[in-house]
């Protein structure tokens, strides 16, 4: 069961760069999502991140990079976070309530953007844990569906409950008034667990390397002519997946030089 708190936005407090938390949803004892007001001036590309945080006890802002999980058209901002018991920020951030202030530096950046990839047929979104956050944004952006014939989402967590945020989001896509029709039959969702038994198991890296995911989804193996990939997860995952993507002939791209795949580290701590 997820615990969901919500409230009408209160006026933004007078801290510099302060926004107001509008809702908080706890998924597990390790994961939660929250929404907050969006500065009118903030423009971002789906998949980018910003610095957010709280005022530290020393009076200085305590900020960390967080992917924006909401799409660029949303009037609020959404973030998805891990709770680290002794993490300087998340040990406090996990207790935020609707109406609380949150600091947001309105300078979005990042490489997990559609512009950093060359045109292709199929987009792979490869995420572990909270690495699903930038994809929560991109999956709700019409441009993603306009640019690609197929979108494959592989998300791996330790247990089933940790997949809930992504699973709920994916389940809501076909009913989405803005993109439901665009999604059509383009979406392939491949969630797996690694530590709790579930219908689909195994690390993303193993399921790609063994060919299992291609066989089960009826999709040909990775090909630099057709396939593009965006990667967001732990450091170890990002390194291991790069080896697989490079092995298949895909090259890493950037905003300045689009190519076949892009990588970003999911926020931890
Ligand atoms: P595993 O349980 O086999 O370590 P975490 O919660 O520690 O961030 O991990 C999230 C998910 O990412 C887990 O399912 C974990 O699998 C998986 N994972 C961690 N490291 C790697 C890696 N180097 N390659 C592929 N998957 C990984």
């Amino acid at each position: 069961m997820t615990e969901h708190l919500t409230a009408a936005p209160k006026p933004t407090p007078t801290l510099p760069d302060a926004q107001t938390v509008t809702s908080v949803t706890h998924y597990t004892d390790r994961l939660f999502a929250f929404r907050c007001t969006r500065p009118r001036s903030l423009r971002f590309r789906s998949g980018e991140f910003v610095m957010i945080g709280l005022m530290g006890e020393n009076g200085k802002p305590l900020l960390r990079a967080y992917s924006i999980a909401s799409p660029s058209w949303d009037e609020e901002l959404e973030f998805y976070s891990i709770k680290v018991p002794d993490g300087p920020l998340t040990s406090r951030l996990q207790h935020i309530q609707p109406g609380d202030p949150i600091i947001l530096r309105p300078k979005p950046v990042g490489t997990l953007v559609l512009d950093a990839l060359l045109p292709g047929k199929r987009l792979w979104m490869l995420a572990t844990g909270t690495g699903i956050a930038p994809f929560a944004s991109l999956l709700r952006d019409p441009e993603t569906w306009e640019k690609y014939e197929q979108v494959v989402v592989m998300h791996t967590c330790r247990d089933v409950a940790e997949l809930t945020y992504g699973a709920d989001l994916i389940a809501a896509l076909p009913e989405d008034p803005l993109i439901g029709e665009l999604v059509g039959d383009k979406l392939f969702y491949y969630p797996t667990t690694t530590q709790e038994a579930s219908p689909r198991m195994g690390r993303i890296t193993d399921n790609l390397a063994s060919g299992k995911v291609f066989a089960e989804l009826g999709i040909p193996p990775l090909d630099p002519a057709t396939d593009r990939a965006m990667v967001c997860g732990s450091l170890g995952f990002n390194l291991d997946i790069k080896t697989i993507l490079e092995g298949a002939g895909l090259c890493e791209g950037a905003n300045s030089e689009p190519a076949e795949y892009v990588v970003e580290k999911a926020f931890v701590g």
Side-chain angles (χ1 to χ4, degrees):
M1 270 278 278
T2 57
E3 182 198 344
H4 185 73
L5 305 165
T6 187
K10 288 182 189 165
T12 300
T14 48
L15 283 170
D17 291 337
Q19 299 301 314
T20 304
V21 175
T22 55
S23 69
V24 183
T25 305
H26 292 274
Y27 288 90
T28 69
D29 57 1
R30 288 211 316 146
L31 296 166
F32 72 114
F34 62 94
R35 293 174 69 83
C36 68
T37 53
R38 173 175 175 173
R40 266 168 195 251
S41 59
L42 177 63
R43 297 277 173 273
F44 67 96
R45 294 181 292 174
S46 296
E48 287 185 317
F49 65 83
V50 285
M51 303 298 289
I52 63 169
L54 298 170
M55 195 53 82
E57 270 142 28
N58 59 2
K60 288 189 182 155
L62 182 57
L63 302 173
R64 295 287 184 272
Y66 269 84
S67 291
I68 302 173
S70 45
S72 50
W73 52 261
D74 198 328
E75 64 182 31
E76 289 188 340
L77 297 172
E78 182 176 312
F79 298 96
Y80 182 52
S81 178
I82 196 155
K83 309 174 192 176
V84 181
D86 54 359
L89 179 60
T90 62
S91 61
R92 291 179 51 211
L93 194 64
Q94 63 180 292
H95 300 298
I96 52 167
Q97 303 277 343
D100 285 353
I102 183 150
I103 302 169
L104 183 145
R105 295 270 188 260
K107 293 189 179 63
V109 285
T111 55
L112 295 186
V113 291
L114 295 167
D115 292 345
L117 294 173
L118 293 170
K121 173 181 176 182
R122 188 179 302 111
L123 177 61
W124 293 79
M125 296 182 174
L126 307 171
T128 62
T130 56
I132 193 75
F135 303 131
S137 176
L138 284 155
L139 283 165
R140 291 182 277 186
D141 187 332
E143 197 184 341
T144 302
W145 304 99
E146 285 158 4
K147 281 196 160 167
Y148 289 94
E149 287 174 37
Q150 296 181 332
V151 177
V152 188
V153 182
M154 294 183 79
H155 185 206
T156 297
C157 294
R158 297 178 192 183
D159 56 45
V160 174
E162 294 185 341
L163 290 167
T164 306
Y165 175 79
D168 287 356
L169 186 124
I170 296 270
L173 288 178
E175 310 306 324
D176 188 298
L178 186 66
I179 54 154
E181 277 188 26
L182 289 173
V183 174
D185 55 4
K186 292 180 170 184
L187 173 65
F188 295 78
Y189 178 43
Y190 200 88
T192 57
T193 57
T194 49
Q195 293 183 26
E196 183 187 6
S198 75
R200 276 197 173 131
M201 295 193 64
R203 289 180 161 198
I204 290 171
T205 40
D206 293 340
N207 288 326
L208 281 170
S210 68
K212 192 174 166 199
V213 62
F214 306 112
E216 289 194 4
L217 297 181
I219 286 175
L222 294 172
D223 178 343
T226 49
D227 293 81
R228 303 291 172 260
M230 290 181 161
V231 176
C232 190
S234 62
L235 209 56
F237 168 70
N238 287 2
L239 282 174
D240 291 349
I241 200 86
K242 275 173 96 155
T243 307
I244 291 175
L245 296 175
E246 302 265 347
L250 279 69
C251 296
E252 185 168 0
N255 277 290
S256 55
E257 203 172 339
E260 286 96 27
Y261 79 91
V262 280
V263 182
E264 206 129 77
K265 191 161 79 69
F267 169 74
V268 277

